[in-house]
Amino acid sequence: MAFLVVFLPAAAASLIWVYSQPPEYRAVARLQISPAAGVAQATEGKDAPAVVTDAKSFLTEVQVLTSRPLLQDVIDRLKASGDLPDLGPDPVAAAQAMLHAGPVAGTQVVELSATGPHQRLVSRLVNTIAEAYLQHVADAYKGAATSTYGEVADELKALEAKIEAKRDAVNAYRKQYDIVSMEHKENDVLADIEGLSQSYTLANERLEKAKGRLDALKTGKAVVRAKHEPTLADLQQRLSMLREQWHEMQRRFTPAYLALDADAQALQARLANLEEQLKAQTAASQRTAVAEAQEELASAQAAAERLRQDVAANQKQAQEFATHLNDYKAMREDLDHLEGMHRAALDQLAKLQASEAERAPSVQLVDAAAETLRPWRPDYRLEAALGLAGAVALGLFAAWFVDFIAGPATPPEPAFVQYAWAPALGREPEDRLPPPPSLVNRPPTALDLPPPEPPPRELTDTEIGALVTAATEDARLIIVALLIGLTVEEIIALRWEDVDVTAGAIRVGGTDARTLPLDEPMQALLTARQQRQAKTAGRILEKPGGDGLADADVARLVLFTAYDAKLDRPQEVTPSVLRYTFISYLLRQGIRAADIDRIVGRVPDTELLACMQLNSPAAWRPIEDIERVLPALRKIIAAGTG
């Protein structure tokens, strides 16, 4: 009763509030906007136009979509088509309040939405804005392009006028001062002065040579060569021949004989005469050479003086012409600069024309707004359901509160079940037993069994591989031993005397005595450990002090290895989990229950039966066909051998 008293008013109030809200409709359109691009400054060596885009231009165009001038055009269009309802004294401001435009991240797409109470207006408003914006972009670009072309054309006309005036001034200046070229050698005035300068330089060189030759002849440093005087050369040749004859006679005859020989005496007289003639002729030739050198010096001096006067006379004229030539060069450089600017303007105009299609803005209506059939908000169904759910919760709370205030009710009398003995062999019982109490209200007894415990966790092949890989030396040996059938107590008590590496067997003592095959990777681990420790007796696993391990030490090593291997829920990984994983692997292969003890030792009956129920194979197999090495360990063996 309390539930209905609270629920009905609350439900009615919530429904009235929900359905009294005015509906709002929403229309969305998407436009892809590529703003007009600009052309970079022209540079030499670039034939293609360099188009520059700006992200700010795109954001500016997004704001144009909701600008007042554009919306004024949209309102006028809607009025003309008769689709504009009453939006108050300022329809443009009302339309702006309804609109929202925002770019889609990472794209040039703009989402334009309109939200308002008029169902048909929102979609018409969005689509009309898209149409008006398309027209606005086309008109704006056409005007900008026309303005740009006009500016470039005006610049070209101004440059052409300047170039024409400058070219006329350059030609007039060149004709006025008879400038043939900007090269010195091609102008007569500079060529003449340059020729006179070279001749004057050569004349000075001849003058210096004449002075040097005359000084050398006067000081005796220079002598007249025989090749320049035929007479002197003839005398030297005859003297040389007579000297050779005299030397020949000296080799053949003694000095005493030569002193008495008439031919020898005559030869000596001829030699003396020729030597006197040679000295006289040499002196005469020397005097002649001095006279010739003096004449040459005088001639060189006269020529140098004449050329010096000519150079001095033409020097002023050459300087004036050089000044005019420099002015002409400056005027030519100005003309070249204007022509370069003209070519750059022509190139800019050509690039503007070539890139017009690429620079033009692009606006594409990706998704037009569709007419909305249902309100965008509020969601009447959802809010009504929430209101009813709140009313139900409030009614339940009211009912609970009333029961809480009233207090607990009186418990009912316990029920009994009447039992009667059925008649046997057609006879009625002599007396009846009192009816036992109902089993529903019977307290628990010691015969009731506890609920079964969940089975241990079974590790996957990936987890086993991670455990073995991350384990330390002792932990790896313990993990592999648990996965081949040894118990924790048997691992702790295992001694080197129990391992026969040659025969490939492990002898396990105690109450569950058995012999296990020594397969890989256990054989490799024990062989490497034996070689490293150099022991053949004693316990295989020991603490640093020589004491044996305890059960807690083994569990600790397994737990730490699970954490190092980054397994999920590592606290659940215990030696029992590893042993359960191996037993489950054997049972899934189809091993008989009677053969389990021969591999893993004695397993409690309840645990074995529970494990067999979870891992029941289709058929039983003999123990000889059972594979005792887990697939994860076989992968480790293959990886090690590879």
Side-chain angles (χ1 to χ4, degrees), residues 478 488-489 492 543 548-560 574-575:
I478 292 172
V488 175
E489 293 78 9
I492 294 173
K543 293 182 179 180
L549 299 179
D551 294 354
D553 298 329
V554 174
R556 180 186 179 89
L557 287 173
V558 173
L559 176 62
F560 287 175
T574 61

Side-chain angles (χ1 to χ4, degrees), residues 211-227:
K211 287 181 179 180
R213 186 170 182 271
L214 180 60
D215 293 340
L217 289 173
K218 287 181 178 181
T219 57
K221 295 181 180 180
V223 295
V224 179
R225 300 296 179 184
K227 63 181 180 179

Side-chain angles (χ1 to χ4, degrees), residues 151-206:
E151 292 175 359
V152 176
D154 294 342
E155 183 180 358
L156 283 173
K157 290 181 181 179
L159 287 174
E160 289 173 355
K162 290 181 180 179
I163 290 172
E164 188 66 25
K166 194 67 176 180
R167 185 179 289 113
D168 294 341
V170 169
N171 291 332
Y173 192 84
R174 179 178 58 81
K175 292 178 181 179
Q176 179 181 358
Y177 295 102
D178 193 21
I179 299 175
V180 178
S181 173
M182 289 189 292
E183 298 293 334
H184 289 72
K185 295 181 179 180
E186 297 180 4
N187 296 286
D188 295 339
V189 176
L190 296 180
D192 293 342
I193 191 63
E194 186 175 358
L196 288 174
S197 299
Q198 292 179 356
S199 299
Y200 181 63
T201 301
L202 294 175
N204 285 331
E205 291 179 358
R206 288 196 300 270

Side-chain angles (χ1 to χ4, degrees), residues 238-247 264-277:
R238 291 168 57 193
L239 182 61
S240 177
M241 293 175 59
L242 291 177
R243 284 176 177 172
E244 288 180 359
Q245 293 178 6
W246 174 246
H247 288 315
Q265 292 178 0
L267 182 59
Q268 287 182 349
R270 290 171 63 188
L271 281 171
N273 187 18
L274 283 175
E275 288 178 354
E276 289 296 331
Q277 292 180 13

